[in-house]
Amino acid sequence: MNNAVSGYLDKFGSNFLIAAMIPSLGLVIAILTIFEPILQPSALINAPNSIYQGLGVGVLVLVPTVIVGFTLTALNTYILKFFEGYVFFRYLPILVYRQREKAKKLIGRKETLRKRISVLESWSSNPTPRTKKILRRLRNQYYNIAANYDKNFPPEIDDVLPTEFGNILKASEAYSSNRYGMDGVEFWPRLRQVIPDRYQDSIDSARNQLSFLVNMSVLALFFSFLCSLPVLFILGFFSLSPVSTLTYIDVFAYSYRYLIAGLLGLFCFAFFQKASIYSVGSFGIMIRSAYDLFRLDLLKHFHIKMPDNSVQEFHIWRNIGELLTLGQQSLTFQGLEYLWDDAKQPSLEKKQVG
């Protein structure tokens, strides 16, 4: 028991350190560096007494870092939902329109290629080498476009979200339902229980990488916002104060460090936000692969007879999903036939339920 708790705490500590503490420490150091004329942290750090120096470092660096880190961890789900487009971007129809237009364009190209392939196949019962070459090229194009759509957009156009980040994650969530009839929301918590530790560590690593990049994006944008405040204050004082003797050169001299830092923060936001899109794609592949590799292990834990083919498997998972989601409220659920180990259930080889 102690080993299990210790292992959990070690993993939590590692996840927290990578995904939250490092970005938080970067933000605190950047603020102390850029806002040094305002905050004057050197007064505490350079205190003559070593005890006060230690307290100064703790107050200025460690305490804010821990607070920001725990805040990021607590808001992790909300931040991801924000990046997916559920929180704010959903109220901007132009973003939804742009993403749906991209999806429709891919669907249109895919259907055009499908029709061209179908026409060539129907016309050529005994295709010439040239026709075979054209068909091979068209099929390759169709495969690439269909795979691109499947990776970047959910199957239904109405489910397309306002952000590229959200659509990639939505496509990964829809994968298990589209391939195997498994509702990802219902089955993922159960599937995690049968995933081997080694593969689970790989999933956690991909999730940590994604959270790190997302947190860096959020903090970079927040840092740019903080840098804009002194600039706005200086400009406001210069333009509104009737007794101000500041010139434009003075305004620039007072605010240039904040302008440069703010622009650098925006650049970092764009960089990490773009990197998070690639990272969420890798994370989505890990989730898809987990269903490919371990879904039948989960089926064994349900004590359900192994399917004979993929069609039968699809209906089995869809039926189990009806039981888990709706229970007695389902209109289509059919009774499940359980199989038991003879050693554990000597009097029952099969047990009919439902």
Side-chain angles (χ1 to χ4, degrees):
M1 179 66 178
N2 291 335
N3 291 336
V5 173
S6 176
Y8 176 80
L9 291 177
D10 289 342
K11 180 176 289 188
F12 175 79
S14 175
N15 296 345
F16 178 69
L17 178 66
I18 296 172
M21 284 293 286
I22 293 177
S24 302
L25 181 61
L27 174 69
V28 171
I29 292 175
I31 290 176
L32 292 177
T33 302
I34 299 301
F35 289 84
E36 195 274 337
I38 299 174
L39 300 177
Q40 297 184 351
S42 57
L44 280 176
I45 296 177
N46 297 327
N49 192 311
S50 60
I51 296 178
Y52 292 130
Q53 284 184 350
L55 290 175
V57 172
V59 171
L60 290 176
V61 179
L62 296 181
V63 173
T65 298
V66 172
I67 292 175
V68 174
F70 272 102
T71 302
L72 290 175
T73 302
L75 295 177
N76 181 256
T77 300
Y78 183 85
I79 292 172
L80 288 177
K81 291 298 181 183
F82 178 85
F83 272 69
E84 289 179 59
Y86 288 107
V87 176
F88 172 74
F89 298 114
R90 61 182 298 185
Y91 300 109
L92 301 177
I94 184 63
L95 296 181
V96 180
Y97 174 79
R98 287 181 58 188
Q99 290 295 319
R100 288 185 177 178
E101 285 301 305
K102 290 180 181 179
K104 289 178 181 178
K105 186 177 294 185
L106 286 176
I107 292 174
R109 292 173 60 189
K110 184 174 63 173
E111 292 305 314
T112 299
L113 287 170
R114 187 200 298 271
K115 291 178 181 178
R116 291 180 62 186
I117 292 171
S118 178
V119 169
L120 280 176
E121 289 176 339
S122 63
W123 284 358
S124 306
S125 57
N126 187 20
T128 63
R130 182 174 180 274
T131 302
K132 290 181 179 179
K133 184 177 180 180
I134 294 174
L135 278 172
R136 185 164 55 250
R137 177 172 56 83
L138 292 177
R139 286 169 181 155
N140 288 337
Q141 291 178 2
Y142 176 85
Y143 175 87
N144 291 331
I145 292 174
N148 185 20
Y149 183 91
D150 182 74
K151 178 182 177 182
N152 293 290
F153 294 100
E156 299 296 331
I157 197 70
D158 291 338
D159 293 333
V160 171
L161 295 171
T163 67
E164 184 179 359
F165 183 99
N167 285 318
I168 293 174
L169 199 56
K170 188 74 172 179
S172 299
E173 292 173 355
Y175 176 84
S176 59
S177 177
N178 193 33
R179 298 299 194 278
Y180 307 116
M182 302 174 69
D183 185 337
V185 175
E186 289 295 332
F187 282 104
W188 177 247
R190 297 165 173 84
L191 185 68
R192 284 179 64 103
Q193 306 307 312
V194 301
I195 295 177
D197 291 341
R198 184 175 179 181
Y199 195 90
Q200 186 63 58
D201 290 341
S202 298
I203 294 177
D204 291 339
S205 177
R207 175 62 185 262
N208 288 340
Q209 183 185 74
L210 176 61
S211 296
F212 171 81
L213 294 172
V214 167
N215 289 338
M216 288 294 293
S217 301
V218 171
L219 295 184
L221 188 61
F222 178 69
F223 177 71
S224 294
F225 168 74
L226 292 180
C227 290
S228 69
L229 297 181
V231 176
L232 293 176
F233 176 80
I234 294 171
L235 290 175
F237 180 80
F238 172 73
S239 59
L240 298 178
S241 177
V243 295
S244 174
T245 59
L246 294 176
T247 65
Y248 285 104
I249 296 178
D250 295 328
V251 171
F252 179 77
Y254 282 119
S255 61
Y256 80 93
R257 66 186 296 139
Y258 306 111
L259 283 172
I260 295 175
L263 292 175
L264 183 60
L266 290 177
F267 171 79
C268 290
F269 165 74
F271 174 82
F272 286 112
Q273 193 271 338
K274 190 66 176 179
S276 70
I277 292 176
Y278 292 107
S279 180
V280 76
S282 299
F283 177 69
I285 291 174
M286 296 294 296
I287 300 301
R288 295 178 185 222
S289 300
Y291 282 101
D292 296 333
L293 298 174
F294 307 115
R295 70 187 189 282
L296 295 180
D297 293 330
L298 177 61
L299 195 61
K300 292 178 182 178
H301 280 69
F302 278 110
H303 295 283
I304 303 296
K305 178 184 176 182
M306 288 293 109
D308 296 325
N309 53 61
S310 59
V311 175
Q312 192 178 92
E313 181 192 0
F314 189 94
H315 289 297
I316 288 174
W317 285 120
R318 184 60 59 86
N319 195 36
I320 296 175
E322 285 285 322
L323 173 65
L324 298 179
T325 305
L326 298 178
Q328 295 183 359
Q329 305 301 318
S330 173
L331 301 177
T332 59
F333 172 70
Q334 299 176 353
L336 295 171
E337 187 176 88
Y338 293 163
L339 294 181
W340 299 93
D341 188 343
D342 291 341
K344 296 180 180 179
Q345 297 287 338
S347 61
L348 290 176
E349 291 187 359
K350 297 182 179 181
K351 185 176 181 180
Q352 184 74 22
V353 176

